[in-house]
Amino acid sequence: MKPISRSYLRTLRLTTLSALILTSFVQLANGQNSRENRGDASGAPQGSEQKKESALPIPPESKSETRHDWTAGSRTVHYTATAGNLLLNDEHDKPIGSVFYVAYTEDGVPAKSRPITFLYNGGPGSASMWLHMGSVGPVRVVTASPQATGPAPFSVVPNQYSLIDKTDLVFIDAPLTGFSRVVGTGTPKDFVGVDEDIRAFDKFITRYITVNQRWGSPKFLFGESYGTPRSAALVAALNNDGIEFNGVILLSSVLNYFVRSPGYDIDTKTYLPSYAAIAWYYNRVPHDGTMQDFVQKAREFSRGPYAAALDMGDQLPPAQFDAMAKQVAAFTGLSEQYVKETKLRISPTRFRKELLRDQDQILGRYDARFEAFDVDSAGENPGFDPSSTGNTGPYVTSFHEYLQSELKYMSSEPYYLHGPGTENWNWEHRPSGVQGNRPEPQPDTVLDLADAMRKNPHLKVFSANGWFDLATPFFGTEHDIAQMMLPPAIASNVQFGYYPAGHMVYLNVDALKQMHADLDRWYPTAIAK
């Protein structure tokens, strides 16, 4: 055998090494392409999933607990205040959201004998600071309502009208609001929508009662504004999950968006009794009898002659049109000529501008008891809402100070009053108990609430309403709830309360006192069997 030269061996080694490198590179590339093409169960490439998982941090579930005493009511309550967060997982059991909450729970009381109420504001996309610091929590912000409160310092006082002596309270910031955040593999689209929002609250409440061992407690929902359609759909969703609730409190409701499209005149009819109450408040109509008597006449007029006239539209004869304008003016305090110019259809925005135009004043939307000077007296619409600007500062400042000094909760994150990204809300909704998969383009959660009450005939509902609310008129709430098509035995589970205030009933302390008295009587009826 001829001996192999050293030069040949060196060439052979180099050639083999190059081939191995090339082979490894090809295998690596093929493997990567295979993984990218294969993806995960959701259809997303695994490479992108790994990148997505690392895009958003996942905070641990944590909490700050402090001990307090409440002595403002009929008895002393020793309670624990807990400010913290719970994580929400997707269908793959991966965290997608972190929800902030503040809970007030009485010490030393067995869970089965202690009710628990979950509370939230609306928006959609609003944090729950307003309910937390103004309504039935153990403390409340002092304001100059119905005047603008002005700058700091502000006062936070024990709330003698709290429900802490009746129920534990859990105030929840909706995803993307307050300190609640998207985390991990989550995106805003997981939460920004009617049904998405319901799923998130369903998951939070289920996790809260699990972590805190509250499955056996009597349970309640308390929502304000958009929190009311959330409650109506949420109580049905929870019921379908086997979690039955004792009661639902609806504060300033709008349950059916579906029928409030232009052309149906539902808003036109349902706002007129609120206009009547406000015109009475400002002495723009004769005071014969009581305001409640006057409002009842406005209800009857809206259901009868007014509804019939609006339904006729352009076919309404001129003489009837003139007669109708005169009656509308008599209920609203507006001039007959102005009513005619609106074609008998007065929007709440125009009413806020027109009623006190001769005094250079505009009215609040959330609470028409608030008034202010506008920049343009000749304009068609008010330039701002004095019932909002007059109270936002005191609530924001007092909440942050209270959270840090009393609840010992510190965060470097901003507290979002309105969740960024929630303006792209998905309004489609699939009501509970309705057959078919076609979603509604606008939610009618009357269907959900009715479904929950039929399946759980012990469920009680309390509807709280402000006479002077131009965001969610009380007559609209009455109209919605009357459409549940329930048998009398179940329909009687709904009670109504009416108060001399606006959307945020608690801004008027006298109204808060009345609402507290009503709820104080109502809670035991919702727990009793």
Side-chain angles (χ1 to χ4, degrees), residues 155-427:
S155 297
V156 176
V157 300
N159 184 9
Q160 67 188 103
Y161 307 117
S162 174
L163 290 174
I164 190 67
D165 59 336
K166 280 284 186 290
T167 174
D168 291 340
L169 305 166
V170 184
F171 295 90
I172 309 166
D173 282 338
L176 280 70
T177 75
F179 290 128
S180 298
R181 296 290 186 269
V182 174
V183 304
T185 60
T187 69
K189 287 186 177 181
D190 294 320
F191 305 106
V192 179
V194 177
D195 291 349
E196 295 86 343
D197 177 82
I198 294 166
R199 283 193 294 270
F201 273 84
D202 188 321
K203 290 178 180 179
F204 174 86
I205 290 174
T206 302
R207 178 142 182 80
Y208 183 92
I209 63 175
T210 300
V211 170
N212 295 281
Q213 302 178 29
R214 300 304 299 265
W215 279 86
S217 300
K219 303 175 190 67
F220 295 83
L221 299 177
F222 189 140
E224 177 185 331
S225 194
Y226 182 81
T228 60
R230 176 188 291 140
S231 290
L234 178 58
V235 74
L238 288 162
N239 190 77
N240 292 335
D241 291 341
I243 306 175
E244 290 189 334
F245 270 64
N246 296 70
V248 176
I249 300 167
L250 305 172
L251 174 58
S252 304
S253 302
V254 51
L255 300 179
N256 188 350
Y257 288 80
F258 192 67
V259 297
R260 286 177 166 79
S261 302
Y264 290 99
D265 287 322
I266 295 295
D267 275 356
T268 304
K269 301 167 190 174
T270 57
Y271 268 103
L272 189 129
S274 294
Y275 298 157
I278 296 164
W280 179 283
Y281 177 82
Y282 282 105
N283 297 309
R284 290 292 170 136
V285 292
H287 282 201
D288 298 326
T290 67
M291 187 195 77
Q292 287 80 358
D293 294 336
F294 186 65
V295 168
Q296 181 58 29
K297 292 178 182 178
R299 285 190 181 102
E300 295 168 0
F301 172 71
S302 290
R303 291 193 187 102
Y306 190 40
L310 293 173
D311 288 344
M312 291 186 69
D314 293 340
Q315 297 178 355
L316 185 68
Q320 293 184 35
F321 177 85
D322 292 343
M324 190 57 52
K326 184 176 182 179
Q327 288 181 280
V328 171
F331 278 115
T332 62
L334 303 175
S335 70
E336 289 183 41
Q337 182 59 34
Y338 184 81
V339 173
K340 289 180 180 180
E341 291 172 357
T342 67
K343 309 299 182 185
L344 308 179
R345 294 163 174 83
I346 305 163
S347 72
T349 302
R350 284 179 167 178
F351 181 81
R352 291 171 51 211
K353 183 71 174 181
E354 187 66 22
L355 185 67
L356 300 184
R357 186 186 291 273
D358 59 345
Q359 298 178 17
D360 229 14
Q361 298 278 297
I362 57 172
L363 307 181
R365 175 175 179 258
Y366 291 111
D367 192 333
R369 296 177 307 131
F370 286 77
E371 51 188 301
F373 291 101
D374 206 353
V375 65
D376 179 8
S377 299
E380 181 182 7
N381 301 315
F384 62 99
D385 179 2
S387 61
S388 177
T389 58
N391 293 289
T392 300
Y395 271 79
V396 170
T397 299
S398 299
F399 173 74
H400 281 85
E401 185 176 18
Y402 169 72
L403 200 65
Q404 295 175 1
S405 62
E406 297 295 325
L407 303 188
K408 309 303 180 185
Y409 185 89
M410 302 295 293
S411 176
S412 59
E413 292 284 326
Y415 187 87
Y416 292 124
L417 295 182
H418 304 285
T422 56
E423 65 274 5
N424 299 316
W425 199 258
N426 175 17
W427 286 98

Side-chain angles (χ1 to χ4, degrees), residues 45-120:
Q46 288 186 358
S48 64
E49 179 192 358
Q50 293 170 357
K51 183 177 181 180
K52 186 179 179 182
E53 286 180 353
S54 62
L56 294 172
I58 302 174
E61 292 185 338
S62 61
K63 57 186 178 182
S64 171
E65 293 184 339
T66 53
R67 302 292 188 272
H68 307 266
D69 295 324
W70 180 81
T71 57
S74 59
R75 67 182 179 91
T76 298
V77 177
H78 308 290
Y79 68 91
T80 297
T82 304
N85 72 298
L86 291 177
L87 295 176
L88 308 182
N89 292 346
D90 63 9
E91 63 274 16
H92 304 296
D93 206 30
K94 295 178 180 178
I96 57 173
S98 173
V99 173
F100 177 75
Y101 69 94
V102 176
Y104 300 99
T105 55
E106 186 173 9
D107 298 333
V109 180
K112 282 190 175 182
S113 62
R114 179 66 170 165
I116 186 168
T117 302
F118 298 93
L119 305 94
Y120 33 79

